[in-house]
């Protein structure tokens, strides 16, 4: 018994040190093909080995992190799970913005990136509708897009998606200060071409700093397990690998969502177009996580009352803001998606 304990401890510390020293870069775990590009934005197509013939799945991720979290390791890959079920998967990867995109805000991203990519995915797949999956702020964009183009979106799947920004606990005091114009962040961002990735990272750290060091304790606890250590490495890389944000997008996030909380108004105008959430009649599957301190379920679930969808499901799973992706696709979600994707 003593020898086994000593071997485990040696493996633990060896795994801990080797993992922290590992500087290998993340690589896609499944074959993919680029079918559209605009500056550094890419539309990737992942083809399943055995197609189920259903409408495709389109993944729309947030602007401030890389979407590698959706395919972190081969064993823990949301993309891989969709492929295993036979779905064609399309992923819009916004990539690092360039200076030429500095004026690209919510309306421009929807019109010049999301819309052409969704239509490209439909043309490429030969289908007339798809399942749109939005993650975090990508989910917020997905909601707006579904309201503008309800005929294209049969299923709307949302993961930890903020809808009611008045209830975001992590920066409640900031929200109040912005609403009262005590802080002029929009004025600052109008003068910034690109908000650097380190600034995004420091902002996220400011909201999660009390638990920032806990991941290292988790690694030390299970570093003897190579699979766990590899997943930890990729997850830790992802959490530190933010991307820059256009000044226009930063301005719009603060103006539309934080200050004006436009989604809760149900109707609002964006670039001369009326966005009416009541027009959303897609089958809706809303997922929140039990231990999410950034986007708890109370921030996501108000959407259920704003849309016209008759088929609405809200599920709360264990995990945090990003860790819930590790759990993959539940049997309930598999059955639901299969039923409404044929």
């Amino acid at each position: 018994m003593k020898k086994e304990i000593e071997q485990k401890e040696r493996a633990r510390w060896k795994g801990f040190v080797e993992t922290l020293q590992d500087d290998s870069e993340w690589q896609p775990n499944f074959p993919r093909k680029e079918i559209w590009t605009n500056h550094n934005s890419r539309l990737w197509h992942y083809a399943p080995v055995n197609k189920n013939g259903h409408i495709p799945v389109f993944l729309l991720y947030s602007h401030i992190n890389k979407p590698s979290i959706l395919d972190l390791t081969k064993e823990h890959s949301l993309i891989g799970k969709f492929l295993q079920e036979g779905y064609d998967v399309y992923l819009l990867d916004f990539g690092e913005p360039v200076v030429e995109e500095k004026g690209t805000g919510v309306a421009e991203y929807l019109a010049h990136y999301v819309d052409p990519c969704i239509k490209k995915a439909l043309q490429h797949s030969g289908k007339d509708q798809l399942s749109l999956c939005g993650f975090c702020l990508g989910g917020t964009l997905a909601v707006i897009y579904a309201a503008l183009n309800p005929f294209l979106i049969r299923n709307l799947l949302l993961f930890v998606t903020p809808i009611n920004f008045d209830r975001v606990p992590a920066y409640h005091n900031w929200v109040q200060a912005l609403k009262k114009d005590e802080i002029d962040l929009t004025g600052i961002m109008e003068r910034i071409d690109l908000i650097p990735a380190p600034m995004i990272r420091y902002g996220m750290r400011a909201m999660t700093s009390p638990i920032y060091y806990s991941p290292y304790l988790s690694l030390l606890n299970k570093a003897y397990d190579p699979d766990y250590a590899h997943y930890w490495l990729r997850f830790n890389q992802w959490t530190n690998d933010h991307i820059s944000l256009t000044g226009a997008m930063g301005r719009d996030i603060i103006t539309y969502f934080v200050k004006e909380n436009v989604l809760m108004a149900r109707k609002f105008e964006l670039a001369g177009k009326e966005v009416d959430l009541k027009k959303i009649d897609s089958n809706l599957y809303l997922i929140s996580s039990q231990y999410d301190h950034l986007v708890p379920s109370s921030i996501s679930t108000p959407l259920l009352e704003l849309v016209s969808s008759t088929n609405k499901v809200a599920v709360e799973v264990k995990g945090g803001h990003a860790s819930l992706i590790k759990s993959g696709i539940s049997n309930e979600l598999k059955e639901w998606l299969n039923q409404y994707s044929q």
Side-chain angles (χ1 to χ4, degrees):
M1 178 65 72
K2 181 179 179 181
K3 185 176 181 180
E4 291 178 358
I5 293 175
E6 289 176 350
Q7 289 176 339
K8 187 175 182 179
E9 286 304 304
R10 282 196 294 270
R12 180 198 309 277
W13 285 101
K14 181 175 182 290
F16 184 73
V17 172
E18 289 181 349
T19 301
L20 294 182
Q21 292 178 338
D22 190 339
D23 59 357
S24 62
E25 295 185 0
W26 172 88
Q27 296 294 331
N29 294 286
F30 298 90
R32 62 183 186 177
K33 180 180 179 182
E34 176 188 304
I35 61 172
W36 177 93
T37 182
N38 186 0
H39 294 296
N40 288 328
S41 295
R42 301 285 186 271
L43 177 61
W44 298 104
H45 172 237
Y46 297 79
V49 175
N50 298 306
K51 293 179 179 286
N52 59 18
H54 297 349
I55 61 173
V57 170
F58 190 101
L59 308 180
L60 185 58
Y61 200 68
S62 172
H63 282 71
I64 62 174
N65 276 106
K66 294 183 178 180
S68 56
I69 186 68
L70 305 178
D71 182 33
L72 215 52
T73 69
K74 196 159 190 175
E75 296 74 20
H76 300 292
S77 170
L78 198 62
I79 288 175
K81 296 294 190 271
F82 282 124
L83 292 174
Q84 187 178 3
E85 294 299 313
Y87 291 97
D88 278 284
V89 177
Y90 296 87
L91 168 65
L92 173 52
D93 181 352
F94 288 111
E96 186 72 22
V98 297
V99 174
E100 289 81 0
E101 297 174 290
K102 64 182 181 181
T104 306
V106 169
E108 292 76 20
Y109 269 120
L110 287 168
H112 304 308
Y113 296 78
V114 179
D115 185 59
C117 282
I118 284 181
K119 289 175 179 174
K120 178 66 177 180
L122 290 171
Q123 178 269 328
H124 186 266
S125 65
K127 304 293 185 180
D128 56 6
Q129 288 185 314
L130 52 71
S131 297
L132 178 57
C133 300
F135 303 83
C136 193
L137 284 171
T140 308
L141 290 184
V143 168
I144 298 175
Y145 186 84
L148 291 170
N149 304 274
F151 53 93
L152 297 179
I153 311 303
R154 185 185 304 176
N155 303 315
L156 183 60
L157 288 76
L158 302 174
F159 294 74
V160 292
T161 295
I163 298 297
N164 187 353
F165 283 75
D166 276 351
R167 296 184 182 179
V168 180
Y171 47 85
H172 177 74
N173 291 333
W174 283 76
V175 171
Q176 296 307 311
L178 287 167
K179 285 181 176 292
K180 297 177 182 178
D181 291 324
E182 295 173 359
I183 304 175
D184 185 23
L185 284 183
T186 53
I188 295 173
M189 289 185 178
E190 285 176 352
R191 298 173 178 84
I192 298 176
D193 293 340
L194 301 174
I195 303 169
M199 186 178 295
I200 302 295
R201 183 169 64 252
Y202 297 147
M204 297 302 295
R205 287 285 177 266
M207 291 189 284
T208 61
S209 57
I211 58 173
Y212 177 62
Y213 289 100
S214 62
Y216 293 93
L217 298 178
S218 299
L219 173 62
L220 182 59
N221 184 49
K222 296 188 67 176
Y224 57 81
D225 181 345
D227 292 335
Y228 178 88
H230 179 61
Y231 176 83
W232 184 95
L233 170 67
R234 295 301 179 221
F235 187 83
N236 191 60
Q237 287 176 332
W238 173 81
T239 60
N240 288 283
D241 203 11
H242 293 80
I243 58 178
S244 302
L245 189 68
T246 66
M249 188 62 173
R251 176 204 63 209
D252 285 355
I253 289 173
I254 290 175
T255 301
Y256 291 131
F257 304 139
V258 179
K259 292 183 67 174
E260 300 177 3
N261 203 17
V262 293
L263 294 179
M264 291 305 296
R266 183 173 282 163
K267 287 185 181 181
F268 62 98
E269 188 172 295
L270 182 67
K273 295 182 179 180
E274 182 185 68
V275 180
D276 183 358
L277 270 59
K278 203 70 177 175
K279 291 184 179 180
I280 297 177
D281 57 3
S282 311
N283 302 307
L284 177 61
Y285 201 101
L286 193 152
I287 303 173
S288 56
S289 54
Q290 187 175 0
Y291 307 114
D292 189 345
H293 299 293
L294 289 174
V295 187
S297 60
S298 61
I299 292 173
S300 299
T301 53
L303 180 66
L304 299 173
E305 304 302 320
L306 301 175
V307 300
S308 296
S309 307
T310 55
N311 176 22
K312 297 179 282 190
V313 178
V315 176
E316 186 177 73
V317 300
K318 292 183 178 179
H321 184 70
S323 61
L324 70 85
I325 293 175
K326 183 179 179 181
S327 61
I329 306 174
S330 67
N331 289 330
E332 180 184 9
L333 177 53
K334 286 180 187 178
E335 294 175 2
W336 185 92
L337 188 59
N338 180 65
Q339 178 180 357
Y340 296 106
S341 297
Q342 298 182 36

